[in-house]
Amino acid sequence: MARPPRATVTYEAAPNIALVKYWGVRDPDLGIPYNSSLSVTLDRLRSRTTVRFSDDLTSDRVVLNGAEATGGPRAGVVALLDRVRALARSDRYAEVRSDNNFPMASGLASSASGFAALAGASSLAAGLTLSDREVSELARSGSGSACRSIFGGFVEWRAGVRADGSDCFARTLFGPGHWPALVDLVLLVEGAPVKEVRSMDAMQLTVRTSPEYAARLRGLPRRLERIRRAIAARDSAALFPLVMEECDSFRSVCETTRPTLDYLTPTSRAILGEVRSLNREAGRPVAAYTHDAGAHMHVFTLAQDLAGVRRRLARLPGVRSTLALHPGPGGRRLAPRRRSRPARRAR
Ligand code: PMV
């Protein structure tokens, strides 16, 4: 059988920050979560991944941020490539190069943008023409939250109820331009530890051992619906307290997991306290904190309040730097780089 032409494809995807957290898997093989989640895909930060399948390679080559990957990170990439090879009925190995413009394994969800970019680049490089929903499902097999980074703006990942996962998928609820005044102030903290336990293992430990997990699950559909409505109405006074309530619930099931999961540093905790003080002093919700399984913090606020909120938080000891981000676009293929001399076309 004739081999399809080789292509080198570069695909870019951004991290997302969850306002309703995914934490717990109902079906590990299909990657179906216990609960639906909702996130914002961010602008400015990105993973950029280039994939090339070739007959000349004798194994997969994975280079992450300029260094040859080994162990767990390499295995995760190879497992996704295996899925792509199965779909494309191909046995070619691949060369993968991926770069992030932000720190990995730090709570800034490099796994989400990384696996989203890998799913996009590898499926296209293998000659597959998948829908965004199918690329998102592929990304999900690498890291659950990655399925949301294929889409831009405010994204919902529906858990669904069917056993075969056919009603489990992510989609944009509101595009990146829906709420221009909403800002995510990212606070990078000093001394953020590198994750010891993979999120997938950590969340299943929570499912098994946290006495609060069942109650959290029961309350989530209502909270997600209220958050969705507050975003639809661009109502920060309604949204901000709900975002913090959800973050507190997530942190609480982590902390009551045995052995406990503690992702925060003293600086992260000081940020939680300072946001509460800011809201108390203003007499209205001017900001909302949230964090994923890491020590860096995300503080949502409105453009009009950004300068004041940033001044107060940036001066806390241990805050290394701040970044003001907005909802951004979903994953996309980058145009191939032009060669200096155009290749001749066959007539
Ligand atoms: O996608 P994973 O396996 O890295 O899990 C991510 C889980 C959280 O970031 C804590 C929550 C979320 O919904 O993104």
Side-chain angles (χ1 to χ4, degrees), residues 11 24 30 37 59-60 74 80 83 112 205 227 331 333-334:
Y11 193 98
L30 297 176
S37 55
S59 65
D60 289 319
R74 181 178 187 281
L80 195 144
R83 282 181 187 255
L205 205 57
I227 287 182
R333 179 183 188 162
L334 298 188

Side-chain angles (χ1 to χ4, degrees), residues 18 21-23 111 143-145 148 199 203 250 292-293:
K21 313 291 177 187
Y22 145 63
W23 199 250
S111 65
S143 150
S145 57
R148 297 186 309 237
S199 289
M203 61 180 76
F250 164 65
D292 280 340

Side-chain angles (χ1 to χ4, degrees), residues 162-237:
R162 294 193 202 134
D164 66 358
S166 54
D167 56 351
C168 172
F169 60 90
R171 65 183 174 136
T172 292
L173 292 177
F174 309 100
H178 170 70
W179 192 351
L182 188 71
V183 186
D184 173 15
L185 181 66
V186 179
L187 297 129
L188 299 174
V189 304
E190 276 163 17
V194 172
K195 263 192 222 176
E196 281 167 24
V197 187
R198 278 188 341 138
S199 289
M200 176 57 115
D201 301 329
M203 61 180 76
Q204 295 307 75
L205 205 57
T206 298
V207 172
R208 288 202 301 276
T209 65
S210 169
E212 296 178 10
Y213 188 71
R216 166 174 164 74
L217 277 192
R218 278 196 300 278
L220 273 176
R222 190 171 130 78
R223 187 180 294 142
L224 191 144
E225 182 49 27
R226 290 170 73 199
I227 287 182
R228 198 187 59 74
R229 274 204 225 133
I231 296 169
R234 300 184 191 88
D235 182 351
S236 60

Side-chain angles (χ1 to χ4, degrees), residues 11-345:
Y11 193 98
E12 202 173 82
N16 66 74
I17 175 69
L19 304 182
V20 176
K21 313 291 177 187
Y22 145 63
W23 199 250
V25 176
R26 163 159 74 85
D27 184 325
D29 295 331
L30 297 176
I32 306 175
Y34 273 112
N35 66 272
S36 300
S37 55
L38 195 158
S39 60
V40 182
T41 301
L42 300 170
D43 66 355
R44 290 179 54 198
L45 306 183
R46 51 135 189 87
S47 295
R48 184 176 290 175
T49 302
T50 300
V51 176
R52 174 179 73 94
F53 287 92
S54 168
D55 290 326
D56 306 336
L57 297 165
T58 51
S59 65
D60 289 319
R61 178 141 196 251
V62 182
V63 180
L64 302 180
N65 284 316
E68 201 81 39
T70 55
R74 181 178 187 281
V77 171
V78 170
L80 195 144
L81 293 172
D82 283 341
R83 282 181 187 255
V84 170
R85 279 186 280 259
L87 288 171
R89 299 208 174 93
S90 162
D91 53 6
R92 281 181 185 152
Y93 289 111
E95 184 176 70
V96 175
R97 286 175 186 277
S98 189
D99 291 294
N100 295 325
N101 63 355
F102 58 96
M104 281 173 84
S106 59
L108 281 187
S110 64
S111 65
S113 54
F115 280 111
L118 177 66
S122 58
S123 56
L124 287 164
L128 296 168
T129 43
L130 303 182
S131 64
D132 282 351
R133 183 164 156 178
E134 289 166 324
V135 176
S136 168
E137 274 180 37
L138 194 58
R140 185 174 101 200
S141 70
S143 150
S145 57
C147 75
R148 297 186 309 237
S149 276
I150 295 299
F151 300 97
F154 299 83
V155 179
E156 183 185 17
W157 174 16
R158 302 179 78 124
V161 291
R162 294 193 202 134
D164 66 358
S166 54
D167 56 351
C168 172
F169 60 90
R171 65 183 174 136
T172 292
L173 292 177
F174 309 100
H178 170 70
W179 192 351
L182 188 71
V183 186
D184 173 15
L185 181 66
V186 179
L187 297 129
L188 299 174
V189 304
E190 276 163 17
V194 172
K195 263 192 222 176
E196 281 167 24
V197 187
R198 278 188 341 138
S199 289
M200 176 57 115
D201 301 329
M203 61 180 76
Q204 295 307 75
L205 205 57
T206 298
V207 172
R208 288 202 301 276
T209 65
S210 169
E212 296 178 10
Y213 188 71
R216 166 174 164 74
L217 277 192
R218 278 196 300 278
L220 273 176
R222 190 171 130 78
R223 187 180 294 142
L224 191 144
E225 182 49 27
R226 290 170 73 199
I227 287 182
R228 198 187 59 74
R229 274 204 225 133
I231 296 169
R234 300 184 191 88
D235 182 351
S236 60
L239 178 66
F240 289 176
L242 289 165
V243 167
M244 291 189 282
E245 178 186 291
E246 163 60 4
C247 176
D248 293 345
S249 157
F250 164 65
R251 190 172 55 260
S252 193
V253 292
C254 289
E255 289 175 355
T256 52
T257 297
R258 292 295 167 253
T260 188
L261 299 166
D262 180 3
Y263 294 112
L264 303 188
T265 66
T267 301
S268 325
R269 290 188 192 279
I271 294 167
L272 302 179
E274 197 70 357
V275 170
R276 291 189 195 112
S277 303
L278 274 165
N279 289 337
R280 225 178 8 250
E281 289 162 26
R284 67 186 170 97
V286 290
Y289 55 70
T290 192
H291 58 82
D292 280 340
H296 301 306
M297 302 297 287
H298 294 252
V299 174
F300 282 89
T301 189
L302 295 181
Q304 72 206 47
D305 296 315
L306 175 63
V309 169
R310 188 177 214 162
R311 212 176 309 119
R312 278 282 291 272
L313 298 177
R315 70 174 191 209
L316 293 174
V319 173
R320 201 176 70 210
S321 56
T322 62
L323 277 170
L325 304 176
H326 294 89
R332 67 190 178 113
R333 179 183 188 162
L334 298 188
R337 260 199 252 138
R338 289 252 175 87
R339 292 172 190 231
S340 43
R341 198 187 297 163
R344 268 216 203 125
R345 283 229 195 101

